[in-house]
């Protein structure tokens, strides 16, 4: 028997759009900087977006790379949204066979600790 573990980038906020915007730079970084993540994102249904993000990142235009990350892509590669949405998403992963979801809370600025605790609270049983 094997326990399946998965690292899940997570952004939790009472405002869903704020949660999406908080994690968008991380997704742009992975897609723009790492060739294997860029290829994976393209193969999972985002070929044009992956190319645009990569091109912008490679020329040093990180603001454009970040702006070009669509919400649908964020939802595919992370657990992001309101506490209830994040809890439901983690439950979906568990139902799919992830025995140990490992959350990776994304935070920002001086309130980063609050973001980490919000992610923990969203996942608490």
């Amino acid at each position: 028997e094997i326990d399946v573990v998965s690292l899940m980038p997570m952004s939790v906020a009472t405002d869903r759009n704020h949660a999406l915007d908080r994690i968008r730079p991380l997704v742009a970084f992975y897609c723009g900087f790492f060739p294997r993540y860029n290829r994976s994102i393209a193969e999972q249904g985002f070929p044009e977006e992956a190319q645009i993000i990569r091109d912008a990142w490679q020329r040093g235009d990180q603001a454009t790379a970040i702006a070009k990350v669509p919400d649908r892509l964020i939802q595919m590669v992370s657990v992001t949204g309101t506490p209830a949405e994040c809890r439901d998403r983690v439950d979906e992963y568990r139902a799919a066979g992830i025995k140990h979801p490992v959350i990776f809370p994304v935070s920002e600025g001086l309130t980063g600790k609050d973001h980490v605790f919000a992610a923990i609270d969203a996942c608490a049983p």
Side-chain angles (χ1 to χ4, degrees):
E1 186 173 319
I2 296 173
D3 290 345
V4 179
V5 177
S6 181
L7 181 64
M8 299 175 190
M10 177 180 273
S11 178
V12 181
T14 54
D15 180 311
R16 183 175 188 281
N17 289 327
H18 186 81
L20 289 163
D21 288 341
R22 182 185 303 141
I23 203 165
R24 200 175 308 278
L26 178 71
V27 176
F29 169 65
Y30 273 81
C31 185
F33 185 80
F34 296 104
R36 75 180 164 138
Y37 288 114
N38 183 275
R39 186 172 46 255
S40 176
I41 287 168
E43 290 171 355
Q44 292 181 62
F46 296 89
E48 292 174 23
E49 295 89 340
Q51 186 66 47
I52 290 168
I53 294 165
R54 182 185 148 328
D55 290 348
W57 195 274
Q58 295 300 311
R59 69 175 179 269
D61 187 358
Q62 293 161 342
T64 295
I66 292 166
K68 294 298 182 178
V69 175
D71 293 353
R72 282 184 22 245
L73 172 55
I74 293 170
Q75 293 167 331
M76 181 185 76
V77 300
S78 72
V79 175
T80 299
T82 65
E85 290 170 330
C86 289
R87 192 172 302 111
D88 289 347
R89 185 83 164 121
V90 170
D91 287 344
E92 289 172 9
Y93 277 103
R94 285 188 173 119
I98 303 295
K99 187 166 183 178
H100 301 289
V102 178
I103 62 168
F104 163 35
V106 175
S107 61
E108 64 187 351
L110 299 175
T111 58
K113 183 172 94 174
D114 295 336
H115 303 151
V116 171
F117 282 113
I120 293 168
D121 289 341
C123 294

